[in-house]
Amino acid sequence: MDQLLDKMKRPLLAKVNIGYFDGELKKLVVKAGGQSSLQGVADTFIPHILIISRGYYQEKLVSYPLTNKKELNKLLSLQSAESNEVSAVNLIEDNQTWVNKWQFNASVPKARIMLPESVILADSNRDAKDIVVLNDKGQTQLFVATSVRGLYSAAPSRLMASRLLFCQSSGLPFDETFCEIRHGDFAQWLMLGLIRLTFKNWHTFANTTIAPMDLKSMQRPALTSAIVAVAYLALTSVYIGFSQWQVERQLANGSDELRQALQLETQVSELRDTLDLYQSVTQDFSVASPVWQLLLPLFEQASFTQIQLVNHRFILRGQTQKATDILSLLTKMPNVQDATFDLPVSKNRLQERFTISFTLQNTKPQVP
């Protein structure tokens, strides 16, 4: 299936203006024999898709002590508005969420879709997790590696002169198997990365902040993008195929609601996270447990991300404007004993994150 999709996307992408910026704007073109190359362009060239060299953006992998995807997306949106960062949520584990962030330099030209070359190269190879890019002198110019937590990439330096040192500095396991991209094959790998780029990455790096181009210049690439997306999604998932049909309809109508259609997948993921929370709670104690009578007034003041029962002790994790008010309410409730903060309260803008535990006096929790 992957090979079939690759064959479908290649001729369609060849009709789109694809640029590459490494201090100088170039065009990624596909020759008659199917080979790709980077060529100089005239000043009038306007790319629809722009691949940006590693030296012209900042990239980092950070963790947040949040597992509520809705709250995390709000936080990332606020940070993006302040710093023009692009974020991608990768993994939620151990009450932590790992997020990749990119920030492009001011000198980078604007385009409808702006893609870091590390993301392109990571998606280009489906076999090796580690990639080494060589320059025209055969020297290493870029390390790229992927893990379950996210993407790592860096240019070599005195302290990171080898792939082994790069893996050690990034906390990644060293694997003898890796992909080496030579300078003469670099353009070919860029095109392959675009062909294999995931729908999540297309969505993440779609630049909705710049003014749209005129209809004539965007008609062919917009139609091409819609056909590619519909073909891919229809063969992988019925639901995602339906979502892409909405995207194609929005493109055809020239509507500003395109972003809403692309956010359908995120909304479904948020609902799934909420369902997981409810299921985890009911595994610990039933809905008939007296703890629900106690928590009812608290739901008006706090947002809970996790409720657990461990050794007959209830543990509440969530956030509110003032965590001490939640603790004060609990201590005043009948049958509540030993209510205390298990961890220090942490602040995040206008909210405080808390972990409070307590026991119920003369009442045994009802377990299924």
Side-chain angles (χ1 to χ4, degrees), residues 329-340:
L329 285 173
L330 278 171
T331 55
K332 294 177 182 179
M333 291 179 177
N335 298 329
V336 171
Q337 268 192 335
D338 192 23
T340 182

Side-chain angles (χ1 to χ4, degrees), residues 45-333:
F45 174 71
I46 300 177
H48 303 127
I49 300 173
L50 180 63
I51 304 171
I52 301 160
S53 174
R54 183 64 178 86
Y56 290 86
Y57 62 87
Q58 304 297 317
E59 178 184 275
K60 55 186 177 181
L61 180 63
V62 296
S63 64
Y64 289 86
L66 289 172
T67 57
N68 187 306
K69 206 169 208 179
K70 184 177 181 180
E71 297 300 325
L72 178 60
N73 286 335
K74 288 181 181 179
L75 172 61
L76 295 176
S77 296
L78 290 173
Q79 293 179 342
S80 176
E82 293 178 354
S83 59
N84 292 322
E85 289 181 333
V86 180
S87 303
V89 178
N90 300 320
L91 176 69
I92 299 176
E93 63 172 4
D94 299 330
N95 295 322
Q96 297 281 323
T97 302
W98 290 90
V99 179
N100 266 118
K101 290 191 170 188
W102 298 267
Q103 187 174 35
F104 303 120
N105 293 4
S107 60
V108 175
K110 299 297 181 183
R112 259 300 174 191
I113 299 177
M114 303 172 67
L115 295 162
E117 69 174 354
S118 54
V119 174
I120 296 291
L121 295 174
D123 277 0
S124 69
N125 196 304
R126 292 172 176 153
D127 300 321
K129 293 184 178 181
D130 294 1
I131 297 173
V132 176
V133 182
L134 306 181
N135 60 20
D136 55 354
K137 297 180 181 179
Q139 300 171 335
T140 300
Q141 70 176 24
L142 181 64
F143 298 108
V144 180
T146 56
S147 72
V148 293
R149 290 181 173 177
L151 175 67
Y152 301 82
S153 69
S157 62
R158 292 183 179 179
L159 298 178
M160 198 166 26
S162 67
R163 193 170 66 88
L164 175 60
L165 294 176
F166 166 69
C167 291
Q168 291 176 344
S169 65
S170 304
L172 298 171
F174 181 75
D175 192 341
E176 295 293 341
T177 303
F178 69 100
C179 173
E180 183 179 84
I181 299 178
R182 299 179 181 179
H183 181 72
D185 300 326
F186 183 65
Q188 195 72 9
W189 281 98
L190 290 180
M191 178 57 70
L192 185 59
L194 283 175
I195 292 171
R196 295 178 173 178
L197 195 67
T198 63
F199 178 76
K200 174 186 174 182
N201 283 333
W202 281 116
H203 179 199
T204 298
F205 293 99
N207 190 345
T208 58
T209 62
I210 64 175
M213 301 177 185
D214 63 277
L215 183 60
K216 290 184 178 180
S217 65
M218 286 299 297
Q219 184 176 8
R220 185 176 66 180
L223 181 60
T224 299
S225 299
I227 294 174
V228 172
V230 169
Y232 173 73
L233 297 176
L235 291 172
T236 55
S237 170
V238 174
Y239 169 73
I240 300 179
F242 171 74
S243 300
Q244 182 53 38
W245 171 79
Q246 296 235 27
V247 173
E248 185 182 10
R249 186 180 63 177
Q250 299 292 351
L251 284 172
N253 295 333
S255 171
D256 292 334
E257 297 177 355
L258 171 60
R259 185 168 53 183
Q260 295 179 7
L262 293 174
Q263 288 174 343
L264 286 175
E265 185 180 4
T266 300
Q267 294 172 2
V268 171
S269 179
E270 292 172 356
L271 291 174
R272 187 178 294 112
D273 291 342
T274 303
L275 177 61
D276 291 342
L277 173 60
Y278 290 157
Q279 290 175 339
S280 66
V281 169
T282 54
Q283 286 176 358
D284 287 337
F285 48 91
S286 71
V287 294
S289 171
V291 73
W292 290 115
Q293 299 177 11
L294 298 175
L295 293 182
L296 186 59
L298 300 183
F299 278 105
E300 299 177 358
Q301 299 190 34
S303 172
F304 294 97
T305 58
Q306 193 173 45
I307 303 172
Q308 289 182 304
L309 177 62
V310 180
N311 295 328
H312 301 295
R313 190 170 183 84
F314 293 96
I315 301 175
L316 309 179
R317 294 184 176 88
Q319 59 184 17
T320 184
Q321 291 185 351
K322 193 173 181 181
T324 53
D325 288 349
I326 302 299
L327 181 62
S328 178
L329 285 173
L330 278 171
T331 55
K332 294 177 182 179
M333 291 179 177

Side-chain angles (χ1 to χ4, degrees), residues 344-356:
V345 175
S346 60
K347 293 186 177 181
N348 176 21
R349 297 186 180 273
L350 300 178
Q351 297 285 307
E352 294 183 352
R353 293 190 295 270
F354 61 84
T355 301
I356 298 176

